[in-house]
Structures are given as structure tokens and as C-alpha cells.
Amino acid sequence: MSSLGDRYEEHHRERRDEGDFVFVPERIPLLVAAIGTGKRVLDLGCRSGALTRHFLEGNSVVGLDVDASALEKAATLGIEPVQANVEEPLPFADASFDAVVAGELFEHLQFPDALVAEIRRVLRPGGALVGSVPNAFRVQSRLRFLRGRSPEDDPTHLRMFSPDAMRELLADFENVELSYVGGRYARLSARLFARDLVFTGVKP
């Protein structure tokens, strides 16, 4: 735990002030709308709460992360901090949340399907899973690959998701919706140029 937490603390610091900055802010309105208010929300991989703060008002939010330093910042916002590794069973009872957020998380995991199963377990019937992953097959990534470089420049990214892969991952959820957001040229072709793929789904 401490070793992994230390490594992510260093990674967050190097990327941008320990995760205080929200990449692709265009996803925020979609996540906020899908979560709603009056909910008990679990934010997985919340870091310091930079994204979480946007759906904190009107909700009771638990923030889970492996980075203890980031969680200290999240706690100052009113987020209930829980230090844990998302690749292990979640430390919560069955059907204990109305919504679960997984923003820019699945791409970091060895076994994202195992986490999705845990998310279904802790969600109440009718509860929402919302989040985002990088649009790994956008044109920029393909061009990097053609030049002999990795399509992703983040060394902590272990997975790359296409829309079909996301639908397969969320096969046990209903009303799955995917949206493309972010990117300077997304207006030309969202599928080819958008930076992020936002997903929502409902537990039956």
C-alpha cells in the first residue's frame, strides 16, 4: 500500500501539483448531470478532490485514493477520505452508494473488470456509474504509434479504451451512454479528435 501510494504521490506531483488540476474540464457538466444531488457518492481515485469538488455540493461524498497526501487535501473540502487500492476489494458494504465516479481511472488498472464488479456490488439498484477514460484511439495517438512511439505518454496508463471496449466493460449496466469531449479539433470529428470518452450507466 505505502509503496504504491508513494509512487502515485510522486506521479501526481510531477504531472501537475499532485492532481489539483482537472484535465479535460469539458467532462465536468456531464458527470455533474449524471450524478445529481441528494446522493451518497463514491469517487474512486479522487486525488485531492479537484474533480470531486464539482459534485460535492448537495451530496455526501466519499473519496477513495491510494495517495495519502492527496487525500489530506480532499478532506479539507469536506470529502470523507478513504485510503485504499482500487485493485483490491472495496472497503464498503453492498448497496451503500447512489453513484460511483471513476474519472480517468480504468486506464490505470490491470483488471478493470474486477473493479467494475466491485462497483456494481457497492451501488444500490438504480445507482449510476459515471466517469471517463482517455480517447486512446484518437488521431493524435494513432500518429504517435505510426512514428514508433507509445500512443499514450503517461507511464501509469496500462489500458487503452475504444468505445466498443467501454461498452463491453459496462455490459452489466443499463442505459449506457458514451460522449466525446475535449480537444482543440473535436468539433471536426469528436470520435477522431476528442481527448476523452465520458461514460454513464445504471445498475439494474
Side-chain angles (χ1 to χ4, degrees), residues 8 27 31 42-47 51 64-65 85-88 90 99-120 122-123 128-136 152 154-163 165-173 176-178 196-201:
Y8 267 96
R27 61 195 160 111
L31 301 182
L42 172 61
D43 187 7
L44 298 172
C46 71
R47 300 193 192 183
L51 179 63
L64 183 148
D65 204 284
N85 183 352
V86 294
E87 299 232 54
E88 298 175 356
L90 297 176
V100 175
V101 181
E104 309 295 287
L105 178 64
F106 290 144
E107 67 273 15
H108 296 274
L109 307 181
Q110 296 182 67
F111 304 107
D113 54 326
L115 178 58
V116 170
E118 276 292 283
I119 290 170
R120 289 189 75 248
V122 302
L123 270 174
L129 167 60
V130 304
S132 60
V133 293
N135 180 20
E152 292 286 334
D154 189 329
T156 67
H157 287 189
L158 305 180
R159 297 273 183 163
M160 295 187 295
F161 289 97
S162 66
M166 279 307 309
R167 289 191 181 279
E168 182 178 353
L169 184 65
L170 304 180
D172 292 330
F173 285 78
V176 173
E177 296 185 6
L178 304 178
D196 257 20
L197 185 59
V198 174
F199 56 83
T200 63

Side-chain angles (χ1 to χ4, degrees), residues 33-102:
I35 294 166
T37 57
K39 307 291 179 61
R40 186 166 191 248
V41 182
L42 172 61
D43 187 7
L44 298 172
C46 71
R47 300 193 192 183
S48 57
L51 179 63
T52 323
R53 70 174 71 228
H54 294 281
F55 49 83
L56 182 59
E57 185 175 358
N59 292 310
S60 171
V61 182
V62 176
L64 183 148
D65 204 284
V66 73
D67 183 344
S69 177
L71 284 174
E72 289 179 3
K73 291 187 175 183
T76 66
L77 301 177
I79 299 164
E80 179 185 339
V82 174
Q83 186 181 12
N85 183 352
V86 294
E87 299 232 54
E88 298 175 356
L90 297 176
F92 307 107
D94 295 356
S96 52
F97 292 96
D98 301 299
V100 175
V101 181

Side-chain angles (χ1 to χ4, degrees), residues 170-186:
L170 304 180
D172 292 330
F173 285 78
E174 297 179 342
N175 304 324
V176 173
E177 296 185 6
L178 304 178
S179 305
Y180 294 94
V181 298
R184 183 180 304 175
Y185 303 108

